[in-house]
Amino acid sequence: MPVDIWLYFILGFMIIGSIASLEIKNILSSIITIGVVGLGLSLAFLFLGAPDLALVQFVFEILCVIILIRAFAKRSIEVRALRRDVPETIVAIIILLSIFVLSIFALADLPSFGKPIVRVAERYLANAGAETGSQNIVTSVILNYRIYDTLGEVTVLFTAILGSFTVLRKLGRKKRHAE
Amino acid sequence: MQNNFPNEGMSVIVKTITRFTVWLIFLYGLYIVIHGHLSPGGGFAGGVIVALSYVHLTLAYGKNFVLDRINKFAMNSLEAIAAILIVLTGIVGLWLVGRFLANFLGIGTLYTLLSAGYIPILNIFICVKVGMGLYLVFYYLASFKPQEG
């Protein structure tokens, strides 16, 4: 199957998941549905050939879901008290050692320092002045080659300001106090 | 404009020093933004410095002194308008060149102030957005009183 069909499938899945997370009344189910949307995005990154972004998205999404569950739905979850037994410790040490040994083989395949596989940075250094007319190459990267990234950062900042305004305003707090 | 709140803020020494330094910080921020395509810096860094000049004023003189001089609603609107203008720049690029956020101006001569096409324009918009936004976040966090609600 070509990549496009998989992408459409994942995209439809994510749209259904985000609508479901808005409509579900139970907050724990809603948070888990948000996690499903994020994992779908991670899969989409993987299909588009960006494994680094997919990894970051995967880890970030799991962390996000854990934080949200702890913050919003902690009363309805029973937490088992952590007790360290001897067999559990041995299993943990064995897993850690095996990850360490495997990572030695994995790290040997990484490109050596200063010799990246992706050659795009050299192209920026060589052609940035002629192509963008900007003397500052960092600016030419963030405002010309990677301008969509900067647009996303601006959106993130805008959302942060909206969030702080919404959380800290007097209106919402007074209403909750009166109830 | 006279100071209507002389008892707020820090001591007289801090206020006097602030009077000498705050416009230097503000102008340095503007310089960083306008020369963003020539020297290190750009919209984000310059916007943070511009916001810090306001924060400096707020810390030294108290927030009522600053609120007498600036309009919070205008700052909020400026921030949103700058965000819209960034997207509008992208739409103009889509209209004239054919790609969203494409460089629709000529790139000019290297190493001159008026060069690099739309990069200085975007730097100025980002500066307005980041400066106003960061100061507003600082203001909302500083004026938060938990016992009020």
Side-chain angles (χ1 to χ4, degrees), chain A residues 111-160:
Chain A
S112 55
F113 187 74
K115 295 192 177 76
I117 299 173
V118 184
R119 296 283 171 193
V120 70
E122 286 175 12
R123 190 181 169 279
Y124 289 162
L125 279 178
N127 302 333
E131 283 181 357
T132 67
S134 168
Q135 182 190 344
N136 186 351
I137 293 176
V138 176
T139 303
S140 79
V141 169
I142 66 170
L143 282 181
N144 201 314
Y145 292 117
R146 298 290 170 95
I147 181 70
Y148 294 162
D149 202 358
T150 309
L151 190 70
E153 273 176 42
V154 166
T155 317
V156 166
L157 196 69
F158 189 66
T159 318

Side-chain angles (χ1 to χ4, degrees), chain B residues 66-149:
Chain B
V66 182
L67 274 190
D68 254 16
R69 282 155 177 77
I70 60 165
N71 190 347
K72 200 152 61 79
F73 178 73
M75 281 185 108
N76 241 327
S77 321
L78 261 181
E79 197 233 334
I81 287 169
I84 293 171
L85 281 176
I86 293 171
V87 178
L88 274 184
T89 316
I91 292 175
V92 169
L94 182 67
W95 178 41
L96 290 179
V97 181
R99 281 178 292 121
F100 185 66
L101 278 167
N103 195 349
F104 54 89
L105 295 170
I107 61 172
T109 336
L110 203 61
Y111 309 128
T112 53
L113 188 58
L114 289 175
S115 67
Y118 70 155
I119 288 179
I121 302 173
L122 279 179
N123 262 336
I124 290 168
F125 291 159
I126 289 173
C127 160
V128 172
K129 191 170 157 32
V130 171
M132 302 291 125
L134 271 186
Y135 180 70
L136 281 173
V137 166
F138 172 79
Y139 172 79
Y140 288 136
L141 287 175
S143 61
F144 176 69
K145 291 195 191 74
Q147 69 270 20
E148 244 178 41

Side-chain angles (χ1 to χ4, degrees), chain A residues 69-120:
Chain A
I69 287 175
R70 287 300 292 166
F72 285 110
K74 64 178 176 185
R75 286 196 195 97
S76 56
I77 298 171
E78 291 176 11
V79 182
R80 197 166 61 99
L82 194 65
R83 268 192 303 115
R84 285 258 176 250
D85 293 335
V86 177
E88 286 182 3
T89 317
I90 291 172
V91 168
I93 288 175
I94 288 172
I95 290 175
L96 268 177
L97 276 179
S98 55
I99 288 175
F100 181 70
V101 171
L102 286 175
S103 70
I104 291 175
F105 293 113
L107 288 175
D109 280 347
L110 282 181
S112 55
F113 187 74
K115 295 192 177 76
I117 299 173
V118 184
R119 296 283 171 193
V120 70

